[in-house]
Amino acid sequence: VPCSARASTMPTSHQPAPPQPINGTVYRSLSEQQLLVLSYLDCGFGALSVLACAAIIGAAIARGRLRHPEVYPVVHLSMADLLATTCLIVSAGLHLTGHNDSQPSLLCAYATGATTALFVCSFGLTLAYAYQVYLRQRTASRMAFEGDTGGGMSDSDGSGGSGGGCDSDKGHWKALAAIGVAWAAPLLAEAGLLAAATAHWSSAGHAHTGGGSGDGIICSSCLPIFRFDQDPCWPADSDSASPRMWLKLAFLIPLLCVLLGCCGLYWLAVRHRDLRDRRLGSLTAAQADARRQMRRRVALFIGVFFVSWGPTFVLGSLSLVLSEETADKFFWLYILQAATAPLQGLLNTVVYGWQRRAFLRSLLQQLPRRVSIAAGFGGDNSRYASYKTFAYST
C-alpha cells in the first residue's frame, strides 16, 4: 500500500476515529471537537451574561435601590442568571481542562446539578415577575372601576380593602412570596434529585456500555448537554433510563410550565389593562401610547424567553424520543442552544432593566433618605406611587 494511502486511512488529531460498534450498534454521538466547540460557546456567551448581570446588581447596590419595588425583582432575576451562568461556565471549564473520564465525576455532577437548579430558579423568577405585573394591572383596573385615586381600593386577593396602602402591601408581600418560592423550590428539588441520581450511579458501580475515545464515544459528565436515548455514557444497568429521564424532565417540565404560565399571566395583565382603559373612557395621547408600549413590551418579554430556551426545549424533547445513533445529525441544534441559552442573563437585563423607563427612573432618580426608606420597606404613599408607575409603564 502506498504511503499516501496508508496516511489517508490513519486517523489524525483533526480526523477523530470513526465510531465503533458497541453491542452491535454504531453510536454516532458528538465528537471531541464538537464538544470543545460547545464548551467554548458556553464560556464565551456566558461571560457576556455574567458581565451584564453584574452591572445590574452593581448599579442597584451603588444607588442604594436593592429594596425598591421597581428594582428588586430585576435584581433577583439578575442574581439567578449570574449564578446559573457562572456554574455553566465552571462546568464547561471542567470539560475543557480534561474532566472527560469514562466514569461519572461527582464534582461534575454537582456543577451540572447546580447549573440546572439555578436556571430553573431563573425560570421561576421570570414567572414571579409576570405575576407581579398581573397583580399591579389588576389593582389599577379595580381602582379605575371604583373611581379611587388612592383610597377605597379592593384588596389584591379579592376581599374588600380600606385603602390603597392595604392593597399595595398585600401585593408587595405576594410578590415577595413568589420570589421566595422561585428560589427555594428548584434548589430543594434539584438537591433531592441529584442525591438520588448520585446514589443510583454509586449502586450501579459506575459501569458503562462504552466510554473510551477509542470507541469514538466521549463520555463527559461535566458539559451539561442533552444526551440522546441509549447513550453508552450512562450506567449500563436495567434501570439506567429512569434517572436519565428524570434528570431531563426536571429541567424541561419547569421550562414548559413557566413558558405557559408567563403567557397566561401576561394575557391576563393586558386584559386588565384593556378593562381599565374602557372604564376610564377616552384616553389621552400619552395613555394610548403607554398602552401600545405595554403590549410591545409583553411581546418582548415572551419573545426573549422563546429565543433563549426554544432551541433547548426542542433539543431536550428530541433527546427523549430519539436514540444516540442520530445525535450528530442535530449538532446544528446543539450550536444554536449553546449560542442562545447562556445569553439569557444578558437579554433579561436589557428587556427587564435597561429598556424600562420605570426601572431607570427608580434606579437613577435622587430621593430623600426618608422617602427612599419608605419605598423600600413599605410606606403606603411611596408603595402606591410605585404601583401606579409600574401599571402605566410595564
Side-chain angles (χ1 to χ4, degrees):
V1 180
C3 294
S4 58
R6 289 199 305 267
S8 62
T9 59
M10 295 178 60
T12 65
S13 59
H14 300 287
Q15 297 176 345
Q20 301 298 319
I22 299 176
N23 294 337
T25 302
V26 177
Y27 292 93
R28 303 193 61 83
S29 61
L30 300 181
S31 67
E32 183 177 4
Q33 286 74 16
Q34 289 173 327
L35 293 177
L36 289 178
V37 169
L38 297 179
S39 299
Y40 285 124
L41 288 176
D42 285 338
C43 291
F45 287 112
L48 297 177
S49 288
V50 168
L51 293 176
C53 294
I56 284 278
I57 298 171
I61 294 175
R63 301 294 299 179
R65 298 293 192 272
L66 286 176
R67 295 179 180 270
H68 195 283
E70 287 290 343
V71 177
Y72 70 75
V74 183
V75 170
H76 277 276
L77 182 58
S78 298
M79 180 62 70
D81 288 333
L82 174 65
L83 295 175
T85 310
T86 301
C87 289
L88 176 63
I89 294 175
V90 169
S91 298
L94 288 173
H95 176 79
L96 290 173
T97 54
H99 285 72
N100 295 327
D101 304 327
S102 61
Q103 308 293 337
S105 167
L106 289 182
L107 175 61
C108 292
Y110 294 146
T112 55
T115 302
T116 301
L118 290 167
F119 271 124
V120 175
C121 286
S122 178
F123 299 163
L125 290 168
T126 303
L127 186 63
Y129 187 93
Y131 179 63
Q132 187 175 8
V133 172
Y134 159 72
L135 287 179
R136 292 183 172 184
Q137 292 297 333
R138 189 179 70 171
T139 297
S141 178
R142 290 180 175 180
M143 289 174 55
F145 178 76
E146 298 179 6
D148 286 337
T149 58
M153 186 169 56
S154 299
D155 289 342
S156 57
D157 61 358
S159 59
S162 59
C166 178
D167 185 85
S168 57
D169 280 341
K170 287 192 175 182
H172 170 70
W173 289 113
K174 284 184 177 181
L176 287 180
I179 290 175
V181 171
W183 275 109
L187 293 177
L188 293 176
E190 186 64 29
L193 186 61
L194 186 61
T198 301
H200 178 86
W201 288 333
S202 299
S203 64
H206 291 178
H208 295 271
T209 59
S213 58
D215 294 327
I217 304 295
I218 304 300
C219 292
S220 173
S221 55
C222 296
L223 189 62
I225 61 173
F226 284 107
R227 291 196 175 272
F228 282 58
D229 196 16
Q230 301 177 11
D231 186 352
C233 292
W234 286 86
D237 59 294
S238 59
D239 296 329
S240 61
S242 178
R244 176 171 67 242
M245 182 72 70
W246 282 111
L247 287 172
K248 293 178 181 179
L249 293 179
F251 187 84
L252 293 175
I253 290 178
L255 175 59
L256 179 61
C257 290
V258 168
L259 177 59
L260 296 177
C262 286
C263 290
L265 287 172
Y266 282 131
W267 179 83
L268 290 174
V270 171
R271 183 171 178 270
H272 279 293
R273 178 62 178 263
D274 293 340
L275 289 174
R276 183 187 63 189
D277 291 343
R278 285 199 293 267
R279 289 165 181 169
L280 291 176
S282 59
L283 301 178
T284 65
Q287 289 173 333
D289 181 65
R291 178 181 178 180
R292 289 190 296 270
Q293 287 186 7
M294 177 187 175
R295 290 177 177 273
R296 289 196 296 265
R297 192 166 289 114
V298 164
L300 188 60
F301 290 164
I302 298 175
V304 162
F305 198 83
F306 266 109
V307 169
S308 297
W309 296 107
T312 300
F313 183 78
V314 172
L315 183 59
S317 300
L318 290 175
S319 71
L320 294 174
V321 297
L322 298 180
S323 68
E324 187 73 11
E325 302 170 52
T326 59
D328 64 335
K329 298 179 182 179
F330 294 99
F331 182 61
W332 63 272
L333 195 53
Y334 280 101
I335 290 287
L336 193 58
Q337 180 211 19
T340 55
L343 284 178
Q344 177 190 244
L346 173 63
L347 297 176
N348 282 347
T349 59
V350 174
V351 300
Y352 291 98
W354 304 123
Q355 278 198 343
R356 288 186 54 244
R357 289 179 295 180
F359 174 83
L360 291 176
R361 183 166 53 249
S362 302
L363 185 66
L364 300 177
Q365 72 183 46
Q366 294 289 343
L367 295 177
R369 180 174 177 79
R370 178 176 57 83
V371 178
S372 165
I373 294 177
F377 288 90
D380 288 347
N381 293 335
S382 59
R383 182 70 52 71
Y384 170 68
S386 71
Y387 263 65
K388 286 181 65 180
T389 302
F390 194 99
Y392 277 95
S393 61
T394 301

